[in-house]
Amino acid sequence: MRRADRLLKIVHFLRSRRRAVTAQTIAEQFEICTRTVYRDIQDLMTSGAPIIGEAGVGYMIDKDYFLPPVTFDVDEIEALGLGISMVRHWTDDGFAQKALSALDKIQAVLPAALQGQLEQITTYSAPNLAPLPWQVSFSDLRDCMRRRRKIAICYSDGTGKESQRQLRPLAVIFCSPVWLLVAWCETREGFRHFRLDRIAKLDILEAGFADEPDKNLAAYKAQDGIPVA
């Protein structure tokens, strides 16, 4: 990997992490030695990247920091186009508009040689011809995840039995044609999945929740045999 590419990837790596990342973690991620990490971090800071931290403690970057425009190869453009198509056809109007906005921004920064590639994409997502009706807002739910706001729902299981749940929403997973909400259920004290089409009512609560190690998304991903609500 070229050093310039590695520096760019290190910035992306830091932006994707919520907590400070040690030099050892960065070294393992990019298969380099910690001395190289220290040098790369120093060069990034010198170039203006808002990285805070120090050797032996860890590094974080201001999440408001945006990288200058980057270019994509043909397959990357194809993958981005497919992702945008899926968002448009399988989420809600608000998120679909964000996908179109992202497409406009991508097209604006592409070099002239690649401008036509977006018009020649050959991989698509078809519209959902038999959509499962939702009574909850996909965008509001995502906002609760970002802001770590608890929610209360009225949920019906596969037999039609209703229950009231108080949740910490963590993620949504697309299992065509179903969207699943992944949450820590405070009512059942464990991770659960909830089909969006079976949530009859959703209330956003004033209470927030902390990123507790045993109840967060990382813990969910690490756990096997997740029970389904």
Side-chain angles (χ1 to χ4, degrees):
M1 181 188 301
R2 295 185 308 164
R3 184 165 187 263
D5 293 335
R6 185 176 72 244
L7 293 177
L8 186 64
K9 289 181 180 295
I10 288 175
V11 172
H12 282 303
F13 184 67
L14 291 176
R15 289 190 76 247
S16 69
R17 297 303 185 271
R18 294 180 178 178
R19 297 188 177 89
V21 182
T22 65
Q24 183 61 41
T25 299
I26 298 173
E28 293 172 357
Q29 175 70 22
F30 295 97
E31 299 181 348
I32 55 179
C33 66
T34 54
R35 181 177 298 178
T36 299
V37 173
Y38 297 144
R39 185 171 61 248
D40 286 352
I41 292 292
Q42 184 57 53
D43 288 347
L44 285 168
M45 294 171 69
T46 301
S47 67
I51 298 173
I52 58 175
E54 58 186 57
V57 177
Y59 301 97
M60 297 184 68
I61 192 168
D62 186 343
K63 294 300 189 293
D64 291 331
Y65 177 64
F66 289 93
L67 294 167
V70 295
T71 57
F72 306 97
D73 63 30
V74 173
D75 286 334
E76 289 171 338
I77 292 174
E78 189 89 10
L80 289 168
L82 174 60
I84 289 170
S85 176
M86 292 181 69
V87 170
R88 290 178 60 195
H89 293 146
W90 292 89
T91 63
D92 64 0
D93 292 341
F95 206 28
Q97 287 301 315
K98 291 296 184 181
L100 290 174
S101 175
L103 180 61
D104 289 341
K105 291 178 180 179
I106 292 170
Q107 193 159 21
V109 302
L110 286 177
L114 292 177
Q115 280 291 337
Q117 291 297 330
L118 282 175
E119 299 177 1
Q120 299 180 33
I121 289 175
T122 57
T123 309
Y124 294 95
S125 167
N128 186 2
L129 299 180
L132 296 172
W134 301 343
Q135 298 188 49
V136 299
S137 169
F138 190 84
S139 293
D140 286 349
L141 188 55
R142 291 177 52 253
D143 186 59
C144 288
M145 295 172 193
R146 283 196 301 268
R147 296 192 294 138
R148 295 182 187 167
R149 292 280 297 277
K150 293 182 181 180
I151 61 174
I153 65 170
C154 176
Y155 188 75
S156 298
D157 64 17
T159 66
K161 181 181 178 181
E162 291 189 353
S163 62
Q164 307 296 321
R165 306 291 187 97
Q166 183 165 303
L167 311 174
R168 300 182 181 198
L170 301 175
V172 284
I173 300 175
F174 184 54
C175 302
S176 178
V178 174
W179 277 98
L180 296 178
L181 165 64
V182 177
W184 173 267
C185 179
E186 298 195 332
T187 309
R188 299 290 190 265
E189 296 186 346
F191 293 111
R192 294 293 190 274
H193 297 156
F194 300 90
R195 286 177 50 157
L196 294 194
D197 58 297
R198 291 181 180 171
I199 299 176
K201 183 181 180 183
L202 184 151
D203 293 318
I204 301 172
L205 305 180
E206 290 297 327
F209 61 91
D211 186 31
E212 298 182 45
D214 59 337
K215 301 177 182 178
N216 61 14
L217 185 58
Y220 163 79
K221 291 179 178 179
Q223 180 174 311
D224 293 327
I226 304 299
V228 177

